[in-house]
Amino acid sequence: AGNGLNTAHRSAIFLNRNHFAYMLTLCLLGFAGYSIYLNGFLYIGSLLLFALNLCALIKNNTFGCYLAVLTGLLFLLITSHLINLKMVKKVLVLLLIFFTVTIICEFQGTGTVSKDFDTMIDDIESPTQNQNSGNGRLILWEKAIECIWKKPIWGYGPEGLHDMYLNAGYENDRPHNEYLQIAAFHGIPALFMYLGSLLSLFLYCIKRLRYLPKELLIIGSMIFSYCVSSFFGNSMYYTTPYFYLFFGILSGIKSKNLDCSIKLMI
């Protein structure tokens, strides 16, 4: 409080607990990915770190990132099955830990997953009757879409929605959806280029999944989970750069060296 930071007891060094959750999402999939390749004490250590960070995420009460981690594990399960059946068993252990930690947190009264799940069902069944749907995200999304249609080509520029939201009486200056944010800030063409790059890289990696270095599979699962969390989050200056670093590393596999090595194996 002395340095003016608006920190809370569950946000660690971050300004907001949601920002902490973005980082936890990447870390959890990193621990999960490495655990399927490790053995012995390192394997046990990675599982413990996964469980502890998952507990922190659940107590953080950020349901979007919780779902992102779950989908990331399912993504890791599918890709592991395509590569090596032995790896599937370790991913199943991770899923067992995931649900066990969730249940323990719920029984201890520190978890909020069940409440968040019930709220999500209610929001899906009657979104128009609940203006606070998605913890207030629905009205932010609606305003963002309104802004996008006003300037669909070039957008409002980086951080350009501040006045639009302020004039509408909202305290937030971002839509809490990175895809809508990109379209509002930079225009619909920019969003299509971003989604196109993600899809292109995804297809490229899936076709060469068996020949990718194990580190790249781990990074791929981290990117996948972050993209899921992007449906409910914002890009932040101290979390998003890590995503783009991993995205750049994974993009680096689209090189002649990898293609040549694949042809030699074939």
Side-chain angles (χ1 to χ4, degrees), residues 26 29 33 72 75-76 79 201-202 205 209 212-227 243 246-247 249-250:
L26 292 175
L29 266 298
F75 173 81
L76 198 59
T79 52
L201 184 59
F202 175 78
C205 292
L209 192 59
L212 293 179
K214 60 183 181 182
E215 293 81 6
L216 295 183
L217 174 60
I218 298 169
I219 291 174
S221 65
M222 296 169 72
I223 292 175
F224 183 87
S225 62
Y226 184 91
C227 288
F243 164 71
F246 292 131
F247 189 28
I249 292 172
L250 192 60

Side-chain angles (χ1 to χ4, degrees), residues 81-98:
H81 176 73
L82 295 175
I83 297 174
N84 188 336
L85 290 176
K86 294 181 179 179
M87 295 165 55
V88 173
K89 295 180 180 179
K90 288 190 172 182
V91 181
L92 291 175
V93 171
L94 287 166
L95 285 169
L96 177 61
I97 293 174
F98 180 89

Side-chain angles (χ1 to χ4, degrees), residues 178-200:
E178 283 194 37
Y179 304 107
L180 292 178
Q181 177 183 311
I182 292 173
F185 283 2
H186 308 291
I188 295 178
L191 175 62
F192 284 161
M193 285 188 283
Y194 175 66
L195 294 177
S197 65
L198 288 174
L199 180 60
S200 173

Side-chain angles (χ1 to χ4, degrees), residues 4-129:
L5 296 179
N6 183 25
T7 56
H9 67 289
R10 291 179 181 173
S11 62
I13 62 172
F14 297 91
L15 299 178
N16 184 288
R17 60 187 174 86
N18 289 329
H19 306 170
F20 185 29
Y22 304 154
M23 185 61 67
L24 285 173
T25 300
L26 292 175
C27 291
L28 279 163
L29 266 298
F31 291 132
Y34 273 108
S35 70
I36 65 177
Y37 291 104
L38 297 175
N39 295 294
F41 288 110
L42 292 177
Y43 173 64
I44 300 300
S46 64
L47 292 181
L48 288 174
L49 288 172
F50 176 83
L52 289 173
N53 280 271
L54 177 60
C55 182
L57 178 65
I58 294 173
K59 290 187 176 183
N60 190 278
N61 190 20
T62 309
F63 193 54
C65 289
Y66 177 85
L67 292 178
V69 173
L70 176 58
T71 54
L73 289 176
L74 295 177
F75 173 81
L76 198 59
L77 177 65
I78 295 172
T79 52
S80 298
H81 176 73
L82 295 175
I83 297 174
N84 188 336
L85 290 176
K86 294 181 179 179
M87 295 165 55
V88 173
K89 295 180 180 179
K90 288 190 172 182
V91 181
L92 291 175
V93 171
L94 287 166
L95 285 169
L96 177 61
I97 293 174
F98 180 89
F99 290 113
T100 300
V101 171
T102 299
I103 293 172
I104 291 175
C105 289
E106 288 293 317
F107 275 112
Q108 287 185 340
T110 57
T112 58
V113 175
S114 58
K115 294 179 181 179
D116 289 335
F117 184 78
D118 291 339
T119 300
M120 181 184 69
I121 297 299
D122 291 339
D123 291 343
I124 293 175
E125 292 178 348
S126 56
T128 57
Q129 298 178 12

Side-chain angles (χ1 to χ4, degrees), residues 130-150:
N130 185 7
Q131 286 299 310
N132 198 38
S133 296
N135 289 328
R137 284 176 171 82
L138 180 60
I139 55 176
L140 297 178
W141 294 349
E142 292 175 347
K143 186 62 179 179
I145 293 173
E146 177 185 329
C147 293
I148 291 169
W149 288 125
K150 290 181 178 179

